[in-house]
Amino acid sequence: MYNLFSPYQIKGLELKNRIVMPPMCQYSVTKKDGIPNEWHYVHYVSRAIGGTGLIIIEMTDVEPDGRITDYDLGLWSDAQVPAFQRIIEGCHQHGAKVGIQIAHAGRKAEDAEVPVAPSSIPFSEEFKTPRELTTDEVKEMVEKFRLAARRAVKAGVDTVEIHGAHGYLIHQFQSPLTNKRTDEYGKDLAKFGVDVIQAVKSELPANMPLTFRISAVEYVEGGYGIDYAIELVKQYKEAGVDLFHISSGGEGPIGSGGKPGIHAAYQVPFARKIKEACDVPVIAVGRLEEPHLANAVIGNGDADLVAIGRGMLRNPHWALEAAVHLKQEGIIPTQYTRGFPRIK
């Protein structure tokens, strides 16, 4: 029987517990150069001190126009590597492992003069109409993902996560609603994702797991459902993904596909279905900040890891608080023991 504080290993990645800090954009790169600053250092290292097992650094983009806003992180230049390296080393000093989520916003790049996408379909009336990428440009984009992964490895990450969810570029390619192409990337909607996975995988050490975040369902009118996502996961697994991070939505205005859940653990059923159907390890995410609930997700075998998002924004020591609630001894740093009740 496993619990939230059971160690976890996948390939060469060894985690002290099952608690993940998921990527959450901070929009705090004040110099607009993609380089993390002191805010990012304190933000991430404080969660490492707070007992988190795996910290995934927020959406980090493969080119300047791939950012949601100009205040986002980037890994399109070697000059950006040292600042990430400092954060990763700081987190490692406190027992956390670190990943980086690499991405491209596609048609959701709000500050790009002309966003790009698989097809010239805007996200909504408030967004700019994107330019359709040529086939050669799509192949160049794959290369940009590969180079970003190379820089992430140089910075010292323990895993790389590819962002294929929430309506960003890879999601746009894999969705029938946003990919109306007639070339090879339109005939096979998973091809761009597969190409990116293979390119990124080629840059990772053999023992480093590759993570992929996917939207298990879409909520727009006519959006895809869990069965479609399962088929994508099977193809992405074959291409080289080791661990899937299961989210949902983000592709457009809410429609007939149903509304995102408002109840605790609303995405856990998606994680379990994908885990069982594809025989893959998964991270569950979405309103799991109550410690006993998060613990149950692990104990019931719904997921292998649990990501705590907004709960960890509110409390960088969420993992330490959870240890007290779950009566786990030996978790609280010596410097903080006076601030926590004794476990009975």
Side-chain angles (χ1 to χ4, degrees):
M1 291 293 294
Y2 298 111
N3 63 57
L4 199 58
F5 288 90
S6 298
Y8 182 74
Q9 180 172 357
I10 177 169
K11 300 183 78 171
L13 176 62
E14 298 182 18
L15 305 177
K16 63 183 179 181
N17 58 44
R18 307 296 181 101
I19 301 168
V20 178
M21 179 183 183
M24 294 175 285
C25 289
Q26 297 297 290
Y27 305 110
S28 296
V29 184
T30 51
K31 293 184 179 180
K32 301 183 180 182
D33 56 6
I35 298 175
N37 54 36
E38 199 64 19
W39 172 269
H40 299 92
Y41 180 84
V42 174
H43 174 63
Y44 290 112
V45 175
S46 62
R47 273 70 186 178
I49 293 172
T52 307
L54 174 61
I55 294 169
I56 306 178
I57 292 174
E58 67 204 76
M59 181 172 170
T60 300
D61 299 295
V62 302
E63 67 171 2
D65 280 349
R67 293 172 290 179
I68 302 171
T69 77
D70 289 345
Y71 296 95
D72 294 348
L73 296 179
L75 265 178
W76 60 78
S77 167
D78 291 344
Q80 294 160 330
V81 172
F84 284 100
Q85 191 171 34
R86 176 174 176 253
I87 291 171
I88 293 164
E89 290 174 352
C91 291
H92 282 167
Q93 288 176 14
H94 300 286
K97 299 299 174 65
V98 184
I100 290 179
Q101 183 190 74
I102 57 173
H104 191 293
R107 68 177 186 165
K108 295 177 78 173
E110 297 175 20
D111 288 341
E113 184 174 348
V114 182
V116 296
S119 300
S120 186
I121 304 170
F123 177 70
S124 71
E125 292 180 359
E126 289 74 32
F127 280 70
K128 299 169 186 172
T129 298
R131 178 180 63 80
E132 181 175 314
L133 290 161
T134 67
T135 303
D136 287 343
E137 286 174 329
V138 176
K139 295 181 185 299
E140 290 169 5
M141 190 68 72
V142 172
E143 178 70 4
K144 291 174 182 178
F145 273 88
R146 186 181 69 80
L147 293 175
R150 175 183 293 182
R151 296 183 183 104
V153 171
K154 186 177 180 181
V157 296
D158 303 291
T159 182
V160 170
E161 177 170 288
I162 298 170
H163 199 349
H166 301 167
Y168 299 117
L169 188 62
I170 294 175
H171 186 167
Q172 292 162 30
F173 269 91
Q174 73 195 17
S175 174
L177 294 173
T178 45
N179 186 346
K180 305 297 184 182
R181 304 175 67 89
T182 57
D183 66 356
E184 59 192 297
Y185 292 98
K187 294 175 182 176
D188 178 2
L189 301 192
K191 180 173 172 52
F192 180 63
V194 166
D195 285 1
V196 169
I197 290 163
Q198 292 175 339
V200 169
K201 190 81 169 182
S202 72
E203 294 292 336
L204 305 190
N207 66 342
M208 182 182 290
L210 175 60
T211 307
F212 189 97
R213 198 172 213 192
I214 189 168
S215 286
V217 298
E218 294 181 327
Y219 298 111
V220 297
E221 185 85 24
Y224 69 66
I226 185 67
D227 291 338
Y228 184 85
I230 285 171
E231 293 307 310
L232 288 172
V233 168
K234 289 177 180 178
Q235 293 181 72
Y236 293 160
K237 175 186 176 182
E238 184 177 354
V241 176
D242 301 293
L243 175 65
F244 287 88
H245 194 166
I246 312 302
S247 189
S248 65
E251 72 292 331
I254 304 303
S256 64
K259 294 182 178 180
I262 59 172
H263 297 290
Y266 72 100
Q267 293 179 146
V268 170
F270 302 146
R272 185 176 188 112
K273 285 181 180 179
I274 288 174
K275 178 178 173 65
E276 292 177 343
C278 303
D279 190 26
V280 292
V282 298
I283 305 171
V285 66
R287 303 203 63 182
L288 295 172
E289 58 264 31
E290 201 288 311
H292 290 280
L293 174 60
N295 193 52
V297 170
I298 300 299
N300 290 333
D302 295 320
D304 301 273
L305 301 168
V306 170
I308 308 298
R310 288 170 176 81
M312 207 171 283
L313 286 180
R314 291 193 300 271
N315 181 5
H317 301 146
W318 185 92
L320 305 184
E321 296 281 1
V324 173
H325 283 282
L326 299 173
K327 302 186 184 305
Q328 296 289 318
E329 297 182 347
I331 307 297
I332 311 300
T334 302
Q335 300 91 328
Y336 287 174
T337 53
R338 288 174 293 170
F340 290 84
R342 289 187 179 183
I343 296 171
K344 299 179 180 179

